[in-house]
Amino acid sequence: MNNQPDIPDFSVVPGAAVHRALVGRQGEIIDLVERTYLLHGAERTVNPPSYFLRFPDRPTARIIALPASVGGDRPVDGIKWIASFPANLERGIPRASAVLVLNDPLTGYPYACLESSIISAVRTAASAALAARALSAGRPRPRRVGFIGTGLIARYLHDYLSTLGWAPEELGVHDLSAEYAAGFADHLRATSGDATVRVHPTAQGLIRSSDVVVLATTAAAPHLTDPSWFDHHPLVLHVSLRDLSSDVILDSFNIVDDIEHVLKADTSVHLAEQATGARDFIDGTLYGVLTGAVQVPGDRTVVFSPFGLGVLDLTVGEHVATRARESGDATVVDGFFHDVERHRSPADGAR
């Protein structure tokens, strides 16, 4: 252990330990995410723009840096470094991989490195579940929930939405891969009680048959382009951000997590801003909904487009690191910070 009282020990928290710290705690994580959105809306966080590392020879791949800082009674600074390589799916491994580094707000020293693909999936799912709960408060209970895109994120989204008490009668599935759609449908049948699970051959059929539409694809450009598909005014959790055309966005009531962050990187709302030269089609933020400043209509399609804020990763990561240390699940790296004396003699350096 460190003999320097002001320098925190550095620990590594692997994926299995992250999973153990989070499994079965959906309600607790949704509450953590809600508190973080309230801190963010009250300007008690720092969330700079994400930085994208792109590769001319691998145009579909990217690695994204999300630095952030969270205040409140559990302050933490840090950065998420997440890679998205869609070609991984052809290799039989997940598209995304990530690490999260947490820094001590007092000294700036990093004190934990966590496997973060699970944290990223959990904070995404908890954010969507929180938004679904808030945005559906004035609507009839959803009887039909449909998923377009059936990867890892969709599984976590279903897991977290299942805690809301909706008990839908029908769950719909659509994916460009029939194999993926069938596999996710089997997962839903095994985890959804008496709900009927239906695989839809087209996205149009799923949307028209759903009160809540969950978009969790890897789409790089809009592919859902007809506003008439949404004439029944569903709640749309636009988690993957690039599925909806400008026509659909402009025909909807739009809620985002952070206006400045989401209007970039060719998201659907960014394309709508470019098409109109304005951003007045965005009706508010999730913070506004949570605080009652924004009233959600019951007679319009409601779209939630969350860019995914680094402050959410930090809050969940700090929670995981604390639980892992308390349970002995964190691996402390003794002597990680080696040269920690502010002054030393030349002889010390020659040893």
Side-chain angles (χ1 to χ4, degrees):
M1 299 294 179
N2 269 318
N3 293 321
Q4 296 285 334
D6 293 331
I7 297 178
D9 291 317
F10 183 81
S11 60
V12 175
V13 185
V18 173
H19 173 76
R20 286 190 288 271
L22 292 171
V23 66
R25 298 180 178 274
Q26 292 92 332
E28 187 176 350
I29 301 306
I30 291 172
D31 289 343
L32 275 177
V33 166
E34 180 173 17
R35 290 199 294 273
T36 307
Y37 273 125
L38 293 174
L39 285 170
H40 185 66
E43 299 183 347
R44 299 182 65 189
T45 67
V46 180
N47 204 109
S50 302
Y51 296 89
F52 289 74
L53 176 61
R54 299 187 184 274
F55 313 95
D57 60 329
R58 291 158 286 164
T60 65
R62 64 185 186 270
I63 308 179
I64 311 169
L66 288 82
S69 175
V70 180
D73 58 358
R74 301 281 291 270
V76 61
D77 307 327
I79 188 168
K80 181 172 77 169
W81 182 239
I82 181 167
S84 174
F85 280 53
N88 283 351
L89 298 175
E90 300 171 8
R91 302 182 179 98
I93 60 177
R95 170 185 60 85
S97 59
V99 294
L100 180 68
V101 176
L102 305 181
N103 293 73
D104 173 36
L106 179 63
T107 66
Y109 274 77
Y111 66 85
C113 179
L114 304 91
E115 194 286 328
S116 195
S117 63
I118 298 172
I119 291 172
S120 186
V122 162
R123 67 89 155 136
T124 299
S127 167
L130 172 65
R133 184 173 68 190
L135 295 171
S136 66
R139 293 174 167 235
R141 177 184 66 85
R143 296 185 300 105
R144 305 165 302 171
V145 178
F147 295 83
I148 298 181
T150 58
L152 177 72
I153 296 297
R155 176 157 55 85
Y156 277 92
L157 287 164
H158 166 64
D159 189 28
Y160 272 74
L161 290 173
S162 296
T163 68
L164 300 182
W166 287 349
E169 300 163 15
E170 181 175 299
L171 298 171
V173 175
H174 173 72
D175 196 287
L176 293 179
S177 166
E179 179 184 358
Y180 290 171
F184 188 59
D186 288 342
H187 173 73
L188 294 182
R189 292 186 183 101
T191 58
S192 302
D194 296 330
T196 299
V197 178
R198 179 182 173 192
V199 176
H200 292 262
T202 66
Q204 177 183 358
L206 181 139
I207 292 168
R208 290 187 181 276
S209 301
S210 300
D211 304 314
V212 175
V213 178
V214 183
L215 300 177
T217 75
T218 59
H223 57 102
L224 306 174
T225 59
D226 190 340
S228 70
W229 295 1
F230 302 84
D231 281 348
H232 58 301
H233 303 315
L235 168 62
V236 181
L237 302 176
H238 191 199
V239 175
S240 39
L241 287 174
R242 295 171 179 83
D243 303 87
L244 302 176
S245 70
S246 295
D247 288 342
V248 175
I249 290 292
L250 296 174
D251 197 51
S252 303
F253 186 86
N254 290 282
I255 297 294
V256 301
D257 55 356
D258 184 290
I259 293 174
E260 295 300 327
H261 281 77
V262 78
L263 290 174
K264 62 182 61 175
D266 290 336
T267 63
S268 292
V269 289
H270 186 207
L271 295 178
E273 180 192 35
Q274 294 174 8
T276 63
R279 54 179 62 178
D280 55 1
F281 60 88
I282 294 179
D283 297 283
T285 64
L286 182 56
Y287 173 77
V289 176
L290 294 173
T291 58
V294 176
Q295 301 300 313
V296 181
D299 58 352
R300 293 186 65 190
T301 299
V302 176
V303 175
F304 175 58
S305 299
F307 195 69
L309 301 177
V311 293
L312 302 182
D313 295 280
L314 289 191
T315 295
V316 176
E318 191 277 335
H319 173 81
V320 169
T322 299
R323 287 188 55 82
R325 286 196 303 269
E326 292 172 347
S327 67
D329 245 354
T331 301
V332 176
V333 182
D334 287 330
F336 185 82
F337 301 108
H338 173 61
D339 193 355
V340 295
E341 297 292 342
R342 185 165 180 261
H343 300 289
R344 62 178 184 167
S345 69
D348 292 333
R351 291 175 184 170

